Amino acid sequence: MKKIEHIGIAVSDLEAAIKTYAAVMGKPHYKTEAVLSEGVNTSFFEIGESKIELLAATSADSAIAKSILKRGEGIHHIAFAVDDIEAEINRLKNEGFRLLNEQPKQGADSKLVAFMHPKDANGVLIELCQEIR
């Protein structure tokens, strides 16, 4: 794992959260993007070499909607940049970690992504991110 790529924050109202984080960071977000497969709309802010990803549900049955219902708004996941996501999935499986995705899938911001089960990481949802080449 190379670096923290981004921190994902689950929000109920994306537009309100964009305004809040723009004020906090002193600069605007650089993009919004719908991820239809996950049922979310996202917004990204750059901060140094990392990013903040705001995630708002587009349907009541999405993972973000369920997370907000169960835990409220707040940090949803920490994403780590990797060079070879399939190798990292295999390495983590060999270490005994459970992956929520056996194969990487298309994520936001031109990334392939896979998630590690939060029960195996002290309650933290870990995302692996590889830049799509």
Side-chain angles (χ1 to χ4, degrees):
M1 297 196 192
K2 300 184 328 183
K3 68 174 185 173
I4 294 175
E5 208 282 331
H6 69 267
I7 297 172
I9 300 174
V11 301
S12 296
D13 182 335
L14 187 60
E15 292 306 315
I18 289 170
K19 289 177 185 173
T20 297
Y21 279 84
V24 167
M25 295 187 184
K27 61 182 173 181
H29 66 157
Y30 71 89
K31 73 185 279 186
T32 56
E33 181 179 349
V35 184
L36 301 177
S37 63
E38 298 298 312
V40 297
N41 286 326
T42 65
S43 174
F44 286 89
F45 289 85
E46 290 180 309
I47 182 97
E49 291 186 15
S50 297
K51 300 172 195 147
I52 298 293
E53 176 189 30
L54 304 177
L55 303 114
T58 58
S59 66
D61 63 342
S62 74
I64 293 299
K66 292 174 186 174
S67 175
I68 289 173
L69 188 62
K70 186 174 181 179
R71 295 177 205 81
E73 294 180 293
I75 294 177
H76 179 261
H77 65 270
I78 299 174
F80 294 94
V82 300
D83 287 324
D84 184 340
I85 195 167
E86 291 181 6
E88 282 299 306
I89 288 170
N90 289 330
R91 182 186 71 77
L92 290 168
K93 284 173 33 180
N94 289 336
E95 290 286 340
F97 295 105
R98 291 173 287 170
L99 280 292
L100 298 177
N101 314 94
E102 292 291 319
Q103 297 294 320
K105 59 185 179 176
Q106 176 77 42
D109 206 29
S110 301
K111 303 283 188 297
L112 290 175
V113 301
F115 291 89
M116 194 172 98
H117 200 292
K119 288 185 179 178
D120 290 351
N122 305 92
V124 177
L125 182 62
I126 301 291
E127 179 182 358
L128 308 175
C129 295
Q130 176 187 312
E131 197 76 39
I132 295 175
R133 300 175 187 124

